[in-house]
Amino acid sequence: MDILNLTQPVSEKEVREMHIINQENIPEVGGLPEIKDFGDRVSWSANIFVYKYEDVIKAFVLCMREGMPYKSPNYEYISNEYKKFLYVDRIAVQEKFRRQGIAEEIYLTVINEGKRNNLDILCEVNTKPSNEPSLTFHQKMGFEEIGTNDFEKNSVVYLRRPFSKK
């Protein structure tokens, strides 16, 4: 299975393919009805790892570095706590490609990117509503809890995978 690292600028076709997958993965990932908003996230991403099948993206992860103009309270929390990091903004896999190890392969690629650059991998997962599969997955991948936050519509746990962890 080949995981590719897309380079900026990402093509309109690739943005559309990822946007469709993103919207199919609501509520596990935040919805972005406007493709322009999704395109902004893509443009702020330092790394975009994708799995393609028959030359069409079937899974992706968007990873941001520090200093982006992203106004997410979760990104802001992480930015306030860490000076350097690789932030997983979202990972999404097309439904018929789930449970095939693709997310794990993509995450291993992200972890290796963090190790190469001495960057901790940081993210958040919903605890209300609970996203148990994601919490279990992140625990399996070596993430540890570093904080929590309660918002009006949801609650999250912040997770960290140190670059130095084996």
Side-chain angles (χ1 to χ4, degrees):
M1 175 179 327
D2 290 331
I3 305 299
L4 307 171
N5 188 359
L6 298 182
T7 56
Q8 296 285 10
V10 177
S11 76
E12 287 182 36
K13 175 184 179 288
E14 291 166 327
V15 170
R16 275 194 313 275
E17 290 170 358
M18 289 186 287
H19 183 248
I20 289 167
I21 297 166
N22 188 86
Q23 297 307 99
E24 290 173 354
N25 276 264
I26 298 168
E28 288 82 11
V29 298
L32 291 164
E34 300 298 324
I35 196 162
K36 183 207 176 307
D37 295 334
F38 184 81
D40 286 346
R41 303 276 174 94
V42 170
S43 71
W44 298 332
S45 297
N47 296 97
I48 304 162
F49 297 108
V50 301
Y51 168 73
K52 286 188 175 185
Y53 179 76
E54 297 179 350
D55 204 37
V56 176
I57 295 172
K58 300 299 180 181
F60 72 90
V61 63
L62 301 182
C63 300
M64 296 180 191
R65 291 290 309 267
E66 62 282 345
M68 292 293 103
Y70 186 19
K71 298 299 179 205
S72 155
N74 294 316
Y75 180 79
E76 289 174 7
Y77 172 89
I78 286 169
S79 294
N80 289 333
E81 298 293 317
Y82 293 87
K83 293 196 184 325
K84 285 179 57 180
F85 56 83
L86 192 59
Y87 170 69
V88 175
D89 177 62
R90 60 195 57 234
I91 181 170
V93 179
Q94 194 175 58
E95 187 170 356
K96 77 177 196 174
F97 286 87
R98 292 182 191 159
R99 312 267 182 267
Q100 297 178 25
I102 295 169
E104 188 170 334
E105 285 296 317
I106 290 176
Y107 250 79
L108 289 173
T109 305
V110 171
I111 289 166
N112 286 332
E113 182 71 14
K115 286 179 181 179
R116 270 193 300 281
N117 294 289
N118 295 332
L119 298 170
D120 291 342
I121 311 301
L122 299 160
C123 67
E124 80 282 340
V125 175
N126 280 347
T127 53
K128 180 181 160 193
S130 180
N131 189 345
E132 273 307 313
S134 185
L135 292 168
T136 301
F137 173 80
H138 282 87
Q139 183 178 24
K140 174 184 166 189
M141 297 303 290
F143 282 76
E144 55 196 35
E145 182 178 329
I146 56 168
T148 60
N149 213 338
D150 295 314
F151 301 103
E152 190 174 312
K153 295 183 179 181
N154 70 314
S155 297
V156 299
V157 60
Y158 296 104
L159 303 172
R160 172 180 169 254
R161 170 76 164 63
F163 69 85
S164 58
K165 191 170 192 166
K166 294 190 179 201

